[in-house]
């Protein structure tokens, strides 16, 4: 099929983009990479009156450092982010997760912000933003606001973003040097959305976990923060951590579902196992068995 007719606008500034979105009265859709949007347009599952292409806005691209945080422009290509030295140094968890997003071909066009803003519950980038404590900066003609990633997602493909608003930055706070990265997912094929996945980071100080940020993807209608597991880990000496017990707490916070790919019980069972395995491998904890 072909898309329904629409007007095309390519603004060169955030202010111009916000003005177009405001004037469209909810009838505009933003495009950056288009790896999800283009199929939806062709299937006419999305029929905007105006397509707002933000690729001409330079300030929405690239990675920068400011105030103890790393800022990622929403129009930054996933392939570029994978090669970025700043992200490799400060956000290794994001780079690890990003390598599992889509395929080589789609990452050349897809953007970090597009994945974060879409709100696919089985995708890596939303969960990574939640796990690492990211803040999403948003602009409109009414002004700007910042939303914590864990408060940004309301349901599958549902976020707090209003029709006249534009994501302008994703800000990831620093984690201590040498922090431990947690990542594992199970998918039917490489590049598919995960059936079950987890991502996170642990900061260690003197053989003790001093900070933890962990989130699930594919385990609920939104990225799911593993709050009970985080609480159980913080303050624990590595030698005292029971990986299986922490994994059970992590799964207890999830709300998996049945679909034609896997059952909720499968997701719980596999989730618990990959969590425990990943924690043991990351912290070099020997299994009690």
């Amino acid at each position: 099929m072909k898309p329904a007719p629409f007007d095309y606008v390519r603004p060169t500034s955030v202010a111009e983009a916000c003005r177009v979105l405001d004037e469209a009265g909810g009838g505009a859709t933003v495009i950056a990479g288009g790896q999800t949007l283009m199929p939806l347009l062709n299937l006419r599952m999305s029929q905007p009156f105006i397509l707002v292409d933000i690729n001409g806005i330079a300030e929405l691209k690239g990675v920068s450092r400011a105030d103890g945080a790393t800022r990622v422009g929403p129009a930054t290509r996933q392939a570029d982010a994978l090669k970025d030295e700043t992200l490799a140094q400060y956000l290794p968890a994001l780079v690890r997760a990003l390598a599992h997003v889509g395929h080589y071909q789609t990452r050349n066009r897809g953007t970090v912000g597009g994945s974060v803003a879409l709100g696919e519950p089985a995708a890596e980038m939303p969960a990574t933003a939640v796990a690492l404590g990211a803040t999403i900066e948003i602009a409109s003609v009414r002004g700007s606001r910042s939303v914590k990633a864990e408060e940004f997602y309301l349901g599958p493909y549902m976020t707090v973003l209003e029709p006249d608003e534009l994501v302008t930055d994703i800000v990831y706070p620093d984690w201590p040097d040498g922090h431990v990265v947690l990542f594992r997912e199970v998918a039917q094929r490489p590049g598919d959305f995960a059936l079950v996945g987890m991502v996170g980071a642990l900061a260690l100080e003197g053989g003790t976990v001093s900070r933890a940020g962990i989130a699930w993807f594919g385990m609920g209608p939104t990225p799911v923060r593993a709050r009970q597991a985080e609480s159980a880990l913080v303050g624990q000496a590595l030698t005292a951590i029971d990986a299986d017990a922490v994994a059970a707490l992590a799964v207890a916070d999830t709300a998996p579902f049945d679909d034609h790919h896997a059952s909720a019980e499968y997701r719980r069972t596999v989730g618990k196992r990959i969590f425990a395995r990943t924690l043991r491998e990351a912290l070099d904890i020997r299994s009690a068995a």
Side-chain angles (χ1 to χ4, degrees):
M1 294 181 65
K2 298 297 181 182
F6 58 81
D7 290 331
Y8 173 83
V9 179
R10 186 180 171 92
T12 56
S13 69
V14 169
E16 183 185 357
C18 289
R19 178 181 57 78
V20 173
L21 291 172
D22 178 63
E23 292 175 352
T29 295
V30 172
I31 185 169
Q35 297 308 288
T36 298
L37 180 59
M38 290 308 298
L40 293 178
L41 291 174
N42 286 334
L43 291 170
R44 301 201 175 191
M45 296 174 67
S46 177
Q47 297 188 36
F49 301 120
I50 303 174
L51 202 60
V52 184
D53 184 346
I54 62 171
N55 286 290
I57 306 176
E59 61 192 286
L60 297 183
K61 299 178 182 178
V63 177
S64 61
R65 294 277 303 158
D67 303 322
T70 302
R71 307 177 73 91
V72 181
T76 304
R77 303 290 179 209
Q78 295 162 357
D80 292 336
L82 274 172
K83 298 180 291 185
D84 189 89
E85 294 181 359
T86 298
L87 292 182
Q89 178 180 352
Y90 291 99
L91 294 172
L94 185 148
V95 175
R96 177 87 67 85
L98 191 54
H100 293 262
V101 175
H103 303 272
Y104 177 83
Q105 294 88 340
T106 62
R107 290 193 296 270
N108 283 325
R109 191 67 189 169
T111 62
V112 175
S115 182
V116 169
L118 180 65
E120 160 59 57
E124 296 85 356
M125 288 297 95
T128 302
V130 170
L132 299 182
T135 298
I136 298 169
E137 296 192 349
I138 300 167
S140 71
V141 296
R142 294 175 283 109
S144 60
R145 62 183 178 127
S146 298
V147 180
K148 293 180 179 179
E150 62 183 300
E151 299 171 357
F152 184 73
Y153 302 102
L154 304 176
Y157 304 102
M158 297 172 59
T159 71
V160 300
L161 199 66
E162 297 292 342
D164 66 334
E165 291 183 319
L166 177 69
V167 173
T168 57
D169 252 322
I170 305 146
V171 184
Y172 299 84
D174 283 352
W175 283 72
D177 291 342
H179 67 270
V180 174
V181 171
L182 304 174
F183 182 85
R184 185 169 258 121
E185 70 173 48
V186 175
Q188 291 181 322
R189 295 163 298 188
D192 283 3
F193 285 121
L195 301 176
V196 185
M198 57 164 290
V199 61
L202 300 176
L204 308 179
E205 187 175 335
T208 299
V209 178
S210 59
R211 179 180 171 190
I214 307 167
W216 293 99
F217 49 103
M219 290 287 272
T222 66
V224 179
R225 187 89 175 261
R227 293 188 178 280
Q228 293 186 66
E230 292 174 354
S231 297
L233 287 167
V234 173
Q236 282 288 323
L238 300 187
T239 54
I241 293 174
D242 182 335
D244 291 320
V246 176
L249 290 174
V251 170
D253 279 329
T254 65
F257 45 84
D258 294 326
D259 61 20
H260 62 285
H261 295 297
S263 66
E265 184 59 30
Y266 172 89
R267 290 183 162 96
R268 290 190 191 94
T269 301
V270 173
K272 183 176 179 180
R273 291 178 181 175
I274 68 171
F275 191 102
R277 183 183 304 170
T278 303
L279 190 60
R280 289 193 185 99
E281 291 177 356
L283 301 180
D284 195 24
I285 300 173
R286 292 188 177 182
S287 171

